[in-house]
Amino acid sequence: MKSSLQNKLLYSFIGVVILVLLCVSVGMSFLIRNYFYTSKQKELIAKGHELARVVNEYNSGNINDNQFTEFINSVDSFLDARVWVLDNSSQLLAVSTPRRGTGVGQRTHQGMGRKMFGARHNVISGFEEVFSGKVMTKTFFHPDYEEKMLTAAVPVISGEGKIGGAVILHAPVSGINDFLQIIYYYIAATGTIAIFLTIVLAMWLSKSIVKPVLSMQKAASAMAGGDYLTRVQVTSNDEIGQLGHSLNELAADLHIFIEKQEVLEKMRRDFVANVSHELRTPLTIIRGYNEALADGTIEAADMKEKYHNLIREEIMRLERLIKDLLDLSKLQSGAGNIQMEEIPLNNIVESIGAKIKQKAESKNINLILELTSVPKIQGSGDRITQLVLILADNAVKYTFNGGTVNLKTYCSDDKVVLEITDSGIGIPQEELPFIWERFYKVDKSHAKTTEGTGLGLAIAKEIIDLHKAEVEVDSKFGVGTTFKVKFAVPEK
Ligand code: ADP
């Protein structure tokens, strides 16, 4: 018994059982004693009345001495009660003899019994009232029989209504006590069995409570130590079992939470690494060109200009990168400072079309605008402009010379759709889920040749989410790509 919970259970169980047994035995003995006393008294009184009638018969000479003696003796043995018959001057007329020895009753006026019952007068003196016609009962220590007796005294009333004497019946209390003794033995035996059963039950119960609690405590400690894979063995359906279930759910939730945290942490680390890398590359190039110019390695004026231009390009690249990073962080830090208004999508697409026209023409790309009349959408004009520019610019960027780029607007399923299609290089199906990630570039080897920062689509996704819009990408590697952004129409 190591666990205190187990001890507590056991002791309280045994305590309750002992208390119940005590109450039951005290209550029962009281009730039984009471019941026996009253029923014995009733019986004695009833027999007393019968005897009184027989005494009357005897007094009127209808039955003889022998028959009378025989009768009181048989009442004695039948009731296990000593019978005294008194005449109207409270003198003993007859006393029964228990049928043990000779089995013969005694007639006192024949000279027998008086010696034996030396103290009888005292005893009889307590029953004076019976001679005034009253039935009496008493329980007392009888000095003649030297034991406790239950006594009933009944007056003998003759036919004319005169008191002709009295009958006193004495039943020894020891009989009842013997019976109570048996009951006490019985209670003691059941009590012992009950205590034994209690110990077994308490041990079984505490085992079924304490064991799972201990295993839950172990699991909780393991969780506190960072082990979220521990599970509690749930064997029951009760409250303990439910607690086990909850603990397991908690462990599972914590596991998911921690995994998410780790993923986020990894993303953060990757982002920092990516930013550092993206910043270092142009800086290294700038430093190299700058050193070449400074130490006089490059002398020719046209070469000098070429290097200056290369340096300017790298600086612009850095500027773009920093602008994109700032944009992204602004978008991620919350929508609170972004002004939402009703904006005409077609106007924005037209202006972006004009903006990329030159670039498309330089690549001999056929830029087609197919705008249908669409309702105004709810959003930030600047951000939607930025979104259309990113998507249209990518379409031109990733399309070969002589290809086509289509900018469309239309309504479908209560949504305003912006659709940008190109006949470009396409994106392999397995890469599609990642294109929205920061710094993700499908073609790593050519990543440097295009002027992209790898942040465009990440910014686009933030803007799409900010406007609660949906996006779909359809792409076939080598054939072309379609981006569809669907905006909800504001309710009027
Ligand atoms: P980048 O600045 O490199 O364009 P983006 O975030 O805009 O970065 O795009 C991520 C990557 O998704 C690009 O590097 C490119 O590989 C791919 N991509 C985006 N748009 C297209 C497109 N229209 N056609 C083919 N590939 C595209």
Side-chain angles (χ1 to χ4, degrees):
M1 291 259 170
K2 282 167 278 158
S3 153
S4 68
L5 186 57
Q6 213 163 355
N7 281 342
K8 273 185 208 164
L9 259 173
L10 186 61
Y11 295 149
S12 45
F13 263 58
I14 292 179
V16 168
V17 168
I18 289 177
L19 198 73
V20 168
L21 281 173
L22 271 178
C23 291
V24 166
S25 29
V26 169
M28 255 180 53
S29 73
F30 178 77
L31 284 176
I32 289 172
R33 196 181 284 267
N34 230 8
Y35 171 75
F36 269 84
Y37 275 31
T38 22
S39 58
K40 195 76 188 173
Q41 273 172 352
K42 273 187 194 157
E43 198 183 10
L44 291 179
I45 292 168
K47 288 290 167 204
H49 282 302
E50 262 178 53
L51 258 171
R53 278 196 293 280
V54 177
V55 173
N56 270 333
E57 293 290 314
Y58 174 70
N59 283 344
S60 26
N62 289 341
I63 49 174
N64 63 27
D65 280 2
N66 278 344
Q67 281 172 316
F68 185 60
T69 312
E70 189 58 35
F71 185 76
I72 59 168
N73 278 345
S74 49
V75 169
D76 180 309
S77 58
F78 182 71
L79 281 181
D80 185 24
R82 311 295 88 79
V83 182
W84 291 12
V85 181
L86 311 175
D87 60 16
N88 56 4
S89 54
S90 66
Q91 293 301 305
L92 262 180
L93 202 61
V95 172
S96 69
T97 316
R99 241 177 232 176
R100 243 173 256 131
T102 53
V104 197
Q106 297 160 357
R107 290 290 309 258
T108 48
H109 53 214
Q110 287 171 345
M112 298 169 79
R114 274 182 195 266
K115 268 180 272 154
M116 219 179 124
F117 300 106
R120 81 196 182 313
H121 189 72
N122 291 338
V123 175
I124 294 164
S125 70
F127 288 96
E128 284 85 3
E129 278 181 63
V130 78
F131 292 101
S132 55
K134 204 176 159 199
V135 175
M136 296 176 69
T137 52
K138 261 187 187 179
T139 307
F140 64 104
F141 183 83
H142 203 296
D144 289 337
Y145 294 108
E146 288 177 347
E147 64 176 312
K148 206 175 171 191
M149 287 287 193
L150 194 68
T151 310
V154 176
V156 177
I157 302 169
S158 68
E160 303 89 55
K162 279 206 287 183
I163 310 271
V167 174
I168 306 179
L169 290 148
H170 309 82
V173 167
S174 60
I176 296 168
N177 285 345
D178 288 349
F179 181 76
L180 276 175
Q181 201 75 34
I182 294 169
I183 292 202
Y184 287 142
Y185 280 138
Y186 180 75
I187 288 175
T190 12
T192 315
I193 294 171
I195 288 175
F196 173 74
L197 284 179
T198 304
I199 293 174
V200 173
L201 187 76
M203 279 167 105
W204 174 80
L205 248 181
S206 62
K207 220 175 150 191
S208 67
I209 292 171
V210 173
K211 228 175 123 189
V213 167
L214 278 179
S215 93
M216 276 185 247
Q217 188 220 327
K218 256 189 218 155
S221 307
M223 273 194 255
D227 173 9
Y228 303 105
L229 293 173
T230 333
R231 291 291 179 273
V232 181
Q233 198 93 40
V234 177
T235 47
S236 61
N237 224 351
D238 51 16
E239 290 84 345
I240 297 272
Q242 279 163 14
L243 184 61
H245 269 303
S246 306
L247 205 64
N248 284 345
E249 270 169 30
L250 178 68
D253 285 355
L254 275 174
H255 190 210
I256 292 169
F257 176 75
I258 296 292
E259 268 184 350
K260 264 193 199 156
Q261 287 296 106
E262 278 169 1
V263 168
L264 281 175
E265 181 59 19
K266 188 183 175 299
M267 273 170 69
R268 202 188 59 82
R269 262 185 276 119
D270 288 353
F271 179 69
V272 172
N274 278 329
V275 170
S276 316
H277 177 80
E278 295 291 327
L279 288 174
R280 215 185 61 191
T281 314
L283 285 174
T284 313
I285 295 169
I286 291 167
R287 204 183 96 189
Y289 291 163
N290 181 257
E291 273 171 8
L293 286 169
D295 65 11
T297 319
I298 296 149
E299 281 175 351
D302 58 336
M303 282 304 275
K304 273 189 183 170
E305 194 187 330
K306 190 185 161 198
Y307 272 76
H308 277 298
N309 283 340
L310 285 171
I311 287 173
R312 193 177 307 116
E313 254 174 48
E314 289 305 319
I315 288 173
M316 279 161 67
R317 189 181 162 81
L318 269 176
E319 274 177 356
R320 268 202 313 274
L321 182 67
I322 287 163
K323 183 189 159 291
D324 279 358
L325 280 171
L326 280 174
D327 260 353
L328 199 56
S329 108
K330 241 191 250 166
L331 281 163
Q332 282 176 335
S333 66
N337 42 10
I338 282 161
Q339 199 83 45
M340 291 288 195
E341 59 203 338
E342 297 222 320
I343 44 170
L345 185 61
N346 282 347
N347 291 6
I348 291 176
V349 178
E350 265 170 6
S351 76
I352 296 296
K355 206 167 180 176
I356 61 168
K357 195 170 180 239
Q358 208 193 344
K359 192 172 173 182
E361 274 170 1
S362 73
K363 283 180 86 178
N364 219 358
I365 285 170
N366 190 12
L367 182 66
I368 305 165
L369 267 65
E370 287 175 49
L371 310 179
T372 48
S373 160
V374 292
K376 286 183 174 176
I377 58 167
Q378 190 75 24
S380 147
D382 287 349
R383 289 303 179 190
I384 295 293
T385 307
Q386 191 180 10
L387 170 70
V388 180
L389 179 63
I390 290 168
L391 295 178
D393 187 56
N394 274 354
V396 173
K397 204 157 64 177
Y398 298 107
T399 298
F400 302 112
N401 285 0
T404 314
V405 168
N406 243 306
L407 308 182
K408 277 194 217 173
T409 57
Y410 57 91
C411 278
S412 163
D413 295 336
D414 288 341
K415 302 258 161 115
V416 172
V417 185
L418 164 72
E419 186 179 306
I420 296 174
T421 308
D422 64 58
S423 62
I425 57 171
I427 305 163
Q429 203 63 29
E430 66 275 12
E431 305 270 359
L432 277 178
F434 309 110
I435 57 170
W436 308 101
E437 284 177 17
R438 296 172 296 196
F439 296 115
Y440 194 83
K441 288 167 188 171
V442 175
D443 184 359
K444 277 101 192 153
S445 59
H446 292 96
K448 257 224 93 263
T449 54
T450 63
E451 72 268 34
T453 58
L455 291 173
L457 286 187
I459 293 172
K461 187 71 172 64
E462 292 290 341
I463 296 171
I464 290 166
D465 290 347
L466 191 66
H467 288 81
K468 298 189 174 67
E470 292 159 26
V471 66
E472 277 172 25
V473 191
D474 249 327
S475 189
K476 222 171 185 180
F477 192 54
V479 177
T481 307
T482 302
F483 281 86
K484 274 185 211 167
V485 185
K486 299 176 177 180
F487 298 93
V489 181
E491 278 170 35
K492 287 272 152 77

